[in-house]
Every structure is written in structure tokens, then in C-alpha cells.
Amino acid sequence: MSTIALYGATGTIGSRVLDEALRRGHQVTAVVRDPAKLTTSHPALTVTTGDVLDPASVAAVAEGKDVVVSAVGGGDGPGHLATIGPAAESLVAGLRTLGAAAPRLIAVGGAGSLRTPDGKQVWDAEGLPEFLLQIMHAHGDALDLYRSVSDVRWTNLSPAATIAPGERTGTYRTATDDLITDAGGDSRISAEDYAVALVDEIERPRHIGERFTVGY
């Protein structure tokens, strides 16, 4: 089983990644600013304080782990702009200080930069609100950063166009840069099955140094 450092464990996606990893027997260290906000209790769970925006803090938390998972968000659009890119920079910088012993990094990404069937990208659709565009481009900029990195083993996992709490089916499809849609043209994944895919990637690495996406 893997030892995992998880940022964003109290969020919609991060909490489900936490649950999925624990149910499979992994050892998880949840890295939070306020431990009181994490109500999950489990023998394989350790809670520690840390700052994803501080490379030294990242290095201290990551040392000795197998995988670092970043499921941090920023709430609204400006919050994402202030968090996602800086977090990516800090995670890379912190892991670099650990050299060859650094754990893998798996970061929750966004759907905005995925290609649509018409050859455009999701964020090119008309009528998208500004806050959503800000969230999409924050994740897109972070992905650009990761793609410039060759000395840290990173993976970026983009959800389908719609991700929300729902059912854990344990089934999903994957692609690299193309939006996954069903027969009706819908692109969706439950947060639970997204977490299944992420923990599957921890257990069976298939996308080191690249982005992939999941959907039904």
C-alpha cells in the first residue's frame, strides 16, 4: 500500500479521494491549515498542518511519502487564480528539493483545456461566465507549468465537463486531451468515480508526465 500526502482533503474532490484511499488500505496524511475542519477519523489517517503555497512546507510533508496528491481549490474564480498556479509552482519547487527520492505528484486539474469534438477547447464555448473562465484558465496555466517540468514525476487529472457528488460505480473511461462524452453528448463524472480513477492511478501508474481525463 502507498503512503499518500493529500492536500485539499476537506473539499468536494479531496474528501472523496481521502475516503477512496482509506477504503483501499492506503496510509494517508491529510495536510490542512485547520485540523478542526477535518472530521474523518481512521486508523490509517494522520492529520498534519501545512501550507501548499510554501515549498519548504511541501518538502517537509512529502519526504518519505510515495505520492503527493493536490486537490486544492480556490472557491471562486479569483480564489482559483490566486491558488492553483502558485500551488503548482510550490509543489514542484518543494518536491525538487528532495531529488530522486521525491514522491510522485498527482494534481487535480480542470476540464477547460480539453479538446471538444469540434476541435476547440471547452473554455471556447460561448456564454461561459467570467468566474468559470477564471477557474478553467487557472487550471490551464497550472497544466502548462507541469508540462514544462521533467525532473518531477507529475500527473494531472482533468475531470469531465461536469463533476459533482454522486454515485460510486467504479467504472469510467479515460482519454488524454480529449473531452469524454457519452452517447448523448454529455460529459460528466461523479466526484466518487473521479476519486476511484485517481486512486487507480496511484496503484497502477499509467500517466506519469502527462495529463489524462476521466468521464462516463
Side-chain angles (χ1 to χ4, degrees):
M1 293 296 101
S2 296
T3 55
I4 303 167
L6 172 62
Y7 288 92
T10 60
T12 299
I13 295 176
S15 63
R16 284 155 177 83
V17 171
L18 175 61
D19 291 344
E20 184 67 25
L22 291 174
R23 74 182 287 169
R24 298 203 206 177
H26 298 289
Q27 296 283 331
V28 182
T29 297
V31 190
V32 296
R33 290 185 177 181
D34 182 4
K37 292 184 177 180
L38 185 62
T39 58
T40 301
S41 177
H42 192 281
L45 172 63
T46 301
V47 182
T48 189
T49 56
D51 184 0
V52 73
L53 300 181
D54 178 0
S57 177
V58 168
V61 167
E63 189 171 12
K65 303 295 191 300
D66 297 313
V67 185
V68 173
V69 175
S70 175
V72 297
D76 59 9
H80 274 76
L81 289 173
T83 303
I84 301 302
E89 294 175 358
S90 176
L91 287 161
V92 169
L95 293 176
R96 275 179 172 152
T97 67
L98 300 178
R104 290 180 61 201
L105 169 63
I106 300 180
V108 172
S113 58
L114 292 168
R115 286 192 299 258
T116 53
D118 61 5
K120 297 181 179 180
Q121 290 172 288
V122 172
W123 58 37
D124 293 325
E126 294 183 4
L128 294 175
E130 180 61 24
F131 82 89
L132 186 56
L133 287 170
Q134 290 175 331
I135 292 172
M136 288 179 173
H137 283 286
H139 282 293
D141 290 345
L143 177 58
D144 287 343
L145 171 69
Y146 290 130
R147 283 175 164 164
S148 73
V149 172
S150 59
D151 56 345
V152 171
R153 293 175 299 153
W154 63 270
T155 299
N156 190 262
L157 176 51
S158 291
T162 299
I163 180 170
E167 181 183 1
R168 182 191 185 278
T169 70
T171 61
Y172 57 86
R173 293 183 293 143
T174 66
T176 51
D177 293 315
D178 292 309
L179 184 72
I180 297 173
T181 58
D182 62 19
D186 292 328
S187 176
R188 60 185 184 86
I189 190 77
S190 71
E192 287 77 6
D193 281 335
Y194 178 96
V196 171
L198 192 149
V199 178
D200 283 350
E201 177 66 22
I202 291 175
E203 295 178 352
R204 299 184 297 277
R206 295 174 179 171
H207 300 282
I208 294 177
E210 68 179 14
R211 182 261 293 276
F212 76 109
T213 184
V214 294
Y216 294 130

